[in-house]
Amino acid sequence: MNSKGSGACACRNLHFGCNVATCEQAQYAKWRGNKKSLKQYRRCATERGCQTCGCYDIIQGITEDEEEIEITIESPDRRLTGGWFLRTRASENSQHWRHFDLWQDLATMYQNDSCKAFQPRICQPVQGTYSPQSLGHLEIWLRKCNETHPRSLKDDIELPTRLLKTTEGEIRVVETEEGVEGRYMTLSHRWGADETFNITRELKISYIWIDSLCIIQDDLEDWERESVRMRTIYGNSYLNIAGCHPKDSSESLFSLSDLKNRFPTHPVPGREATYIRQQPHMTHTDYGMNYSDFDNQQVLLSRGWVLQERLLSPRIVYYDADELKWECNMALDCQCGGMGVIANFKLDYMAALEGSDAPRELSLMWMRTSQRYSCLRLTYDTDRVVALAGIANQASKSGDGGKYLAGLWEHNLAFQLCWEIVDTYRKAETYLAPSWSWLSVIGSVNFFQMGLHDNASLAVEVTEAECTTANNDTGAITGGHLKVKGKWIRLLAKIENLGSETTPPTCSYRLVYAETADYVMSAEQAVAIQDVLVVFWGRFYESRIACLILKEHTLVRGSLRGWAYGGMIME
């Protein structure tokens, strides 16, 4: 036993898996996880001689704020290979938190008299993503996922139209026969495709699908046919490889890594075969839920098509500049441990599709997804709708959102209409979506007070909402309209500033105030705004008032005049 005192210790709940006969604290353990102040751990280590509490005194030389510095020991249930991580925090601002992996050597873990307060950590930083150790970590993730995650494992399914065959000593494109089943891998990439053939062979998979090689380039008919199938191709993939490291064609998929040197492993004094290592700080936010959508550190993840590939693929491994990272429909992991300490975007998205309060959770998660997608880059404006269609189709299968309406959902639609464009401000030259859909404007979207709708009181009712599409409910949009019941006032508009090629015009409304339009427009378009409707949308959190601005316009297919979305005001 590691404590000379009697009674419950500060670390008691960490001994959940210990033997009561050999570990005194096992009888007091009630649940996994532990949260105490630094001072409490230090007191137990000093007064009781507790070796476990002594492990937590990693912050040397601090004599002040011992009560404020909180140490949390957690076992992330969603981390595929388990292991404890330690979080130090003295405020609610997560940017000030620091995280450490804390683990026991696997060989000593299963000794009969061994204390099991710490779990083994199977994956560790290595010298490069090309190494046999990295391949071994990937094989461990795949094996554990195959054994425990039925939602992430696909049985043999019908193969795509074309695949790259990697066996028999050569790489060649093959046309598959209709109805033939098997396993294949996929690739999300900008560059670095060649190395994926070796990974496919090492994992004993015969085929891989790569868009640039399996879709006939410069053949519009083939592109239109195969691009629609991409949602199914990625959705049925055995494993998707994401090449995050290469920045151009001269760079390899693989990389050297100095993580092991920058964040070395240290033995914990006074405790046999127990180790601690600091995790990199704020380097995994691209994969998180609660961080800015506007600054992707990984170039690959800034591409619009890749979000679909990420969310639809049952399993994905990221090869980035430092390490391998793993996501599947039920778990995550990485070699440095950092994936386990933040809320994960993919896992939260999957949970929203199956949640107990699914209609509300889906609309909230969809707003998060729209914000993230809206700031990603696409080569062609017309891809803005198509590259989202696969995700929308996946969400529609849950049956919880109602009708899909040009980037929005029928359920909780009035809340989803509370969006604004926060940069770019550009209308596409071709029709993409109705003006009330954020897809109609090229730019990054922000939804008002997302997540606080339980505190809102709407003053409008959407009585009718329709969209027409070219081929299916989530495909290219050809038209749409809304009917809204509520209180409104008609005001005269005056252009105060015509704006520029990068700045929208500024309008003032009699009885209201000056307001910047949602997007850049020509001088002719700006001066054509002569009157508007201001619709009282409702009261939100902290008594903030939302109003929708509608501008008069001629409908596309005739002389009938209607009202187009002109922006949302929140005061």
Side-chain angles (χ1 to χ4, degrees):
M1 176 50 206
N2 63 44
S3 175
K4 63 185 179 182
S6 60
C9 192
C11 66
R12 57 188 178 274
N13 291 331
L14 298 181
H15 298 271
F16 191 86
C18 293
N19 189 331
V20 177
T22 59
C23 177
E24 177 188 353
Q25 293 304 309
Q27 62 184 307
Y28 303 109
K30 301 297 183 183
W31 60 82
R32 292 186 178 275
N34 223 53
K35 180 168 63 177
K36 301 290 181 182
S37 70
L38 176 59
K39 186 174 183 178
Q40 287 175 294
Y41 286 119
R42 282 178 170 173
R43 182 184 295 126
C44 286
T46 302
E47 298 178 2
R48 300 172 56 89
C50 179
Q51 296 176 5
T52 303
C53 288
C55 293
Y56 306 150
D57 191 9
I58 60 169
I59 309 176
Q60 302 295 324
I62 294 181
T63 57
E64 299 179 354
D65 301 326
E66 286 184 310
E67 291 286 5
E68 287 75 20
I69 296 176
E70 180 182 278
I71 296 181
T72 306
I73 309 294
E74 299 181 23
S75 177
D77 295 333
R78 300 193 296 182
R79 192 157 73 177
L80 195 59
T81 54
W84 295 107
F85 72 85
L86 182 153
R87 172 181 288 146
T88 61
R89 52 182 286 179
S91 75
E92 295 300 317
N93 187 345
S94 62
Q95 294 192 19
H96 299 157
W97 302 350
R98 294 297 184 272
H99 300 91
F100 302 80
D101 271 325
L102 190 59
W103 73 94
Q104 186 174 350
D105 184 78
L106 186 62
T108 64
M109 183 69 189
Y110 298 104
Q111 296 176 4
N112 291 332
D113 60 347
S114 173
C115 174
K116 295 177 174 56
F118 303 111
Q119 302 296 309
R121 178 80 177 108
I122 297 175
C123 296
Q124 307 284 348
V126 296
Q127 297 295 338
T129 59
Y130 61 87
S131 67
Q133 295 97 320
S134 286
L135 180 63
H137 291 161
L138 176 55
E139 290 174 333
I140 289 172
W141 290 335
L142 278 168
R143 185 177 70 250
K144 284 185 171 290
C145 186
N146 287 341
E147 293 170 353
T148 60
H149 298 162
R151 285 192 289 130
S152 296
L153 177 62
K154 296 285 187 178
D155 294 327
D156 287 354
I157 44 81
E158 186 172 349
L159 298 176
T161 305
R162 301 180 194 91
L163 287 166
L164 288 154
K165 191 170 185 178
T166 61
T167 56
E168 302 173 359
E170 63 177 351
I171 308 297
R172 58 192 177 91
V173 177
V174 295
E175 297 271 351
T176 62
E177 296 181 9
E178 186 175 353
V180 174
E181 296 182 343
R183 286 181 174 178
Y184 62 91
M185 293 171 50
T186 51
L187 175 66
S188 296
H189 73 118
R190 295 176 72 249
W191 313 99
D194 292 345
E195 292 90 346
T196 61
F197 303 138
N198 292 329
I199 299 172
T200 304
R201 289 192 186 104
E202 291 286 351
L203 296 178
K204 297 180 173 55
I205 304 296
S206 300
Y207 301 103
I208 186 169
W209 187 91
I210 301 176
D211 55 358
S212 59
L213 298 175
C214 294
I215 298 178
I216 300 175
Q217 304 301 298
D218 301 322
D219 185 327
L220 181 60
E221 182 179 347
D222 193 66
W223 163 254
E224 290 178 344
R225 181 175 56 252
E226 294 300 314
S227 62
V228 173
R229 297 174 180 172
M230 286 172 65
R231 69 188 69 167
T232 303
I233 292 172
Y234 281 97
N236 289 331
S237 169
Y238 179 73
L239 174 68
N240 185 44
I241 299 174
C244 294
H245 171 59
K247 294 181 176 60
D248 57 47
S249 58
S250 67
E251 293 189 351
S252 167
L253 172 75
F254 302 124
S255 64
L256 293 170
S257 174
D258 63 351
L259 274 182
K260 193 172 183 178
N261 298 326
R262 286 191 289 131
F263 300 95
T265 297
H266 301 283
V268 174
R271 187 171 179 97
E272 181 184 2
T274 305
Y275 305 93
I276 191 168
R277 183 188 63 248
Q278 183 178 352
Q279 294 180 2
H281 179 58
M282 299 296 288
T283 57
H284 294 57
T285 56
D286 284 351
Y287 308 91
M289 169 60 70
N290 300 320
Y291 298 91
S292 172
D293 297 320
F294 307 118
D295 185 22
N296 286 292
Q297 300 177 46
Q298 303 287 352
V299 176
L300 180 72
L301 299 184
S302 68
R303 295 180 59 215
W305 281 99
V306 172
L307 183 62
Q308 172 178 260
E309 297 161 11
R310 178 186 179 189
L311 294 182
L312 297 185
S313 298
R315 307 189 286 200
I316 182 168
V317 58
Y318 300 90
Y319 280 76
D320 68 18
D322 290 321
E323 61 173 356
L324 301 190
K325 295 178 171 67
W326 169 276
E327 287 178 339
C328 66
N329 288 344
M330 300 179 68
L332 46 79
D333 216 328
C334 66
Q335 291 170 306
C336 79
M339 289 286 275
V341 304
I342 59 176
N344 180 267
F345 184 79
K346 178 179 173 68
L347 293 188
D348 284 3
Y349 171 81
M350 296 305 300
L353 298 184
E354 303 171 358
S356 58
D357 187 16
R360 182 187 181 281
E361 291 177 7
L362 177 60
S363 64
L364 176 58
M365 190 64 211
W366 188 261
M367 285 187 278
R368 293 182 182 275
T369 304
S370 300
Q371 284 192 174
R372 179 158 298 197
Y373 176 78
S374 67
C375 62
L376 303 179
R377 295 195 296 269
L378 291 163
T379 304
Y380 305 104
D381 288 348
T382 50
D383 286 349
R384 189 166 172 83
V385 174
V386 181
L388 186 66
I391 305 174
N393 181 265
Q394 180 188 48
S396 69
K397 292 178 181 178
S398 71
D400 295 314
K403 290 187 298 186
Y404 179 69
L405 299 164
L408 306 170
W409 293 94
E410 181 182 21
H411 292 164
N412 296 321
L413 178 58
F415 286 121
Q416 297 172 64
L417 290 168
C418 297
W419 57 268
E420 63 178 344
I421 297 289
V422 295
D423 70 4
T424 307
Y425 311 106
R426 182 173 60 82
K427 277 279 191 181
E429 293 183 1
T430 57
Y431 180 87
L432 296 181
S435 64
W436 42 265
S437 167
W438 57 271
L439 286 172
S440 66
V441 183
I442 308 299
S444 300
V445 173
N446 179 58
F447 287 87
F448 292 149
Q449 299 192 335
M450 186 172 55
L452 298 174
H453 293 164
D454 289 342
N455 301 306
S457 176
L458 289 180
V460 296
E461 177 187 358
V462 180
T463 60
E464 187 175 314
E466 293 292 342
C467 271
T468 56
T469 57
N471 44 30
N472 58 63
D473 291 342
T474 60
I477 303 160
T478 57
H481 71 270
L482 288 180
K483 288 184 179 180
V484 178
K485 181 180 179 180
K487 299 177 181 179
W488 55 272
I489 187 172
R490 190 162 187 154
L491 301 172
L492 293 178
K494 178 182 178 182
I495 301 300
E496 301 289 348
N497 187 319
L498 289 175
S500 66
E501 292 182 356
T502 58
T503 305
T506 300
C507 306
S508 65
Y509 309 121
R510 189 172 300 175
L511 301 180
V512 193
Y513 51 85
E515 178 71 16
T516 301
D518 263 3
Y519 56 90
V520 172
M521 60 183 69
S522 67
E524 292 78 11
Q525 291 173 318
V527 298
I529 303 176
Q530 296 183 355
D531 61 355
V532 297
L533 290 186
V534 177
V535 182
F536 175 50
W537 211 253
R539 295 183 182 274
F540 284 72
Y541 181 66
E542 295 182 339
S543 299
R544 299 191 69 185
I545 294 175
C547 293
L548 175 68
I549 297 177
L550 300 175
K551 59 182 182 178
E552 198 170 14
H553 82 130
T554 302
L555 299 183
V556 176
R557 294 179 176 83
S559 59
L560 178 64
R561 297 186 67 79
W563 298 91
Y565 187 99
M568 184 73 74
I569 300 173
M570 177 75 78
E571 282 297 323

